[in-house]
Amino acid sequence: MAARATGGSGDGRDAGAPLLDDLMPWSVRPLRTGRPWVIAPDAGWLRARWERLVRAPAEERERLFGATRARTPRTAVAALPGQATGTGRFAREEGPCPEPVRIAHGPFDEQWLLPDHRLIDAARPELWRVADDHQLFAVEHGYAPRDTGPALSVTGLLPDGHSPAGRPGRIRPLFRRPGGQEPNLAPGLLDLLRARHGAAVTAGSVLAWVLAAARPSPAGCVVPLPADPARWSAGVELGQELLRLQLRGAGGGERPRLPGGRRPYVRATVPPVPEALEYDAETGTLGLGTGRIAPVPAGAWEFRVGGVRMLELWFARRSAAGAKDADGLAALRPGAWPQAWTSELLELITLLALLDGLRPRQEALADGPWITAAELRAAGVLPVAAAARRPASVLGHREEGPDGQFALL
C-alpha cells in the first residue's frame, strides 16, 4: 500500500519520502573561490583585473592576489579539466587573460568566472570533467526556515552553488560521465519507476519530476515519488516546462517569454549609475534610479530563494552601491551601466514571473499516494551503495598538472 510523504530521513528507515541525496547520490560541494574578484557580471571586468594583476610589481601583485591558506601566487596546482590555462606558479605569470566562462552564480543569476585553478581555492575539478553540452546540474539551495521559494534549480552552465541565504546546498550532475553517460541516479531507481510508470521513464524525466515536486526540509531536499502513473506524467510534463524556462534557450530551446501585454519594457532609460532599486506594487513598476521598467508582476518582485528577493540580489551585485565596500581588484569595475544588463534584467523578470505562475500546478502534486520506503528497499534502491556517492573515473583526456606535468587520474 502506498504512503503519504512525510519528509523522511532519506536513509530508508521510515515510510516517508526519500531525499534527493538518495535519488541522485553523487553530489559536490559548492565552489569556493577564496577571492571575490575572480567572478563578475561582466567578462570585461575580469580581463581588466587580470591585466592589472599580471602587470603589477611583485609586492603589489602579492597584495592584489589576496592569498589564502589554499592559494598564494606560489601555489603549484593543475589546470582545470578542459581549460587551457597556465600551470606555472602565478608569481611568474605574464601571459594573456584566459577566456572567462559563463557560470550560474547561485540561483537565477549568470555571471563570468576566470577559469584558472591557481586563482580558485576549491574549484571542484570533478564538476569540470563532466560539464558538457549533454550535462545538467541540479543545485540545492540550502534550507531556510519559512522559505517559500523552490528547493532547487537546474542549469546547463557550470554552477558555483552559491546560496543567497549563506546556507550551502549541493550540486548534483545528472550524468556521472561526459556525453550524457551513466545517469547519476540510485542503482535500481530507473527500473523501479519504469515498472510503475512505463518504459518511457528516463534520467531526464526523473530530473523533471524532481524539479516539479521537490520541497525543502531541514534534512535536505525531499522528493516524494508518486505511485500513480497519471500524477507522474503530470509532474514530468510540468517539470519539463520548468526546465525549459530555467535553461533560458540553451541548446537551441525557446527563451522565456510572457504573453503580449504582460511583457516588461523599458519605460525610462536606466541611468549610467543607478543607485537604488525600488518597486511600486500599485503600478507594477520597477525603478532603477530614474530608470523605469513595467509591467513587473508582483510575483516576480517577491520571488525569493532562502528568504532573499532574487531581483534585489541581482541588482546589488551590479550596483555602484554594492561596490562601495569592495577593495583591491574587486573594486575594479566599469563606471556605467551596460545595455546588456538591462536585457538580462528583462529576461530575469520574465523568468521569475513565469516560474511564479507555475506554483499552483506544483502545489497540486503534493497529494499521494506515494511509493513507500519499503518498496524502495525491496527493489534494492535503498540503501544507496557507497560507490554511487563517489565520482566516476573520467579518463577522457590528459590534464596538465603543476608546472606542465600531466596529471594521472
Side-chain angles (χ1 to χ4, degrees):
M1 178 171 130
R4 293 181 60 86
T6 58
S9 65
D11 58 8
R13 291 188 297 238
D14 58 38
L19 296 177
L20 183 58
D21 189 55
D22 285 333
L23 304 184
M24 299 180 70
W26 175 42
S27 67
V28 181
R29 287 177 293 173
L31 276 62
R32 190 177 73 249
T33 62
R35 45 203 53 79
W37 56 266
V38 299
I39 292 179
D42 186 284
W45 297 14
L46 298 179
R47 296 187 182 98
R49 291 169 182 177
W50 175 279
E51 288 301 315
R52 176 75 178 85
L53 181 61
V54 300
R55 302 292 173 252
E59 187 173 319
E60 186 181 6
R61 178 184 290 204
E62 183 90 19
R63 178 183 64 81
L64 291 173
F65 183 93
T68 60
R69 293 179 61 184
R71 293 288 186 272
T72 76
R74 293 165 298 282
T75 302
V77 64
L80 286 171
Q83 300 299 313
T85 53
T87 58
R89 305 303 199 272
F90 198 87
R92 303 193 298 265
E93 180 62 65
E94 296 180 351
C97 179
E99 190 62 28
V101 298
R102 192 73 160 164
I103 67 166
H105 184 39
F108 311 119
D109 193 0
E110 296 181 359
Q111 298 206 17
W112 298 90
L113 169 72
L114 284 173
D116 193 314
H117 208 179
R118 299 169 296 178
L119 306 178
I120 306 172
D121 280 11
R124 315 303 179 199
E126 59 271 38
L127 284 181
W128 296 76
R129 291 192 184 103
V130 299
D132 61 17
D133 292 341
H134 302 275
Q135 187 65 270
L136 295 173
F137 298 95
V139 184
E140 293 186 58
H141 298 152
Y143 177 74
R146 297 179 297 281
D147 185 12
T148 59
L152 78 162
S153 56
V154 175
T155 178
L157 298 174
L158 186 96
D160 65 6
H162 177 83
S163 173
R167 299 172 177 85
R170 305 288 292 193
I171 301 168
R172 300 182 188 276
L174 179 57
F175 298 104
R176 292 167 53 81
R177 298 180 186 275
Q181 300 298 310
E182 192 178 334
N184 177 27
L185 298 175
L189 178 62
L190 276 179
D191 290 338
L192 180 145
L193 292 175
R194 285 168 179 164
R196 298 298 294 260
H197 304 312
V201 175
T202 64
S205 55
V206 173
L207 180 63
W209 171 266
V210 167
L211 189 56
R215 62 177 187 267
S217 84
C221 205
V222 174
V223 185
L225 296 174
D228 175 32
R231 187 171 296 277
W232 169 264
S233 296
V236 169
E237 181 180 358
L238 173 57
Q240 289 170 339
E241 188 171 351
L242 290 165
L243 181 61
R244 177 186 61 80
L245 292 174
Q246 294 191 24
L247 294 183
R248 307 192 200 188
E254 181 182 351
R255 302 193 75 87
R257 189 177 179 87
L258 282 163
R262 295 178 54 202
R263 296 172 192 160
Y265 289 96
V266 177
R267 309 297 179 174
T269 303
V270 179
V273 186
E275 293 291 341
L277 185 73
E278 299 175 329
Y279 181 67
D280 186 330
E282 191 170 318
T283 63
T285 300
L286 190 68
L288 296 85
T290 58
R292 294 291 182 270
I293 294 176
V296 176
W301 170 250
E302 289 295 342
F303 199 102
R304 303 170 190 249
V305 176
V308 178
R309 282 195 183 101
M310 291 294 94
L311 288 178
E312 287 185 321
L313 179 61
W314 185 94
F315 178 77
R317 290 170 173 169
R318 291 159 175 81
S319 70
K324 288 180 180 177
D325 296 330
D327 59 6
L329 293 175
L332 186 58
R333 42 198 292 144
W337 181 274
Q339 176 61 38
W341 288 0
T342 302
S343 299
E344 291 179 21
L345 177 57
L346 291 171
E347 182 170 88
L348 179 59
I349 292 168
T350 300
L351 171 64
L352 298 181
L354 290 169
L355 293 178
D356 180 69
L358 292 175
R359 282 179 171 173
R361 289 173 60 188
Q362 288 182 268
E363 292 168 0
L365 297 174
D367 293 331
W370 306 108
I371 295 173
T372 67
E375 188 170 353
L376 293 174
R377 287 194 299 271
V381 176
L382 296 180
V384 178
R389 301 191 182 279
R390 296 192 292 266
S393 296
V394 177
L395 303 172
H397 54 82
R398 300 171 78 190
E399 295 178 13
E400 188 173 332
D403 290 322
Q405 304 285 333
F406 277 98
L408 296 176
L409 303 181

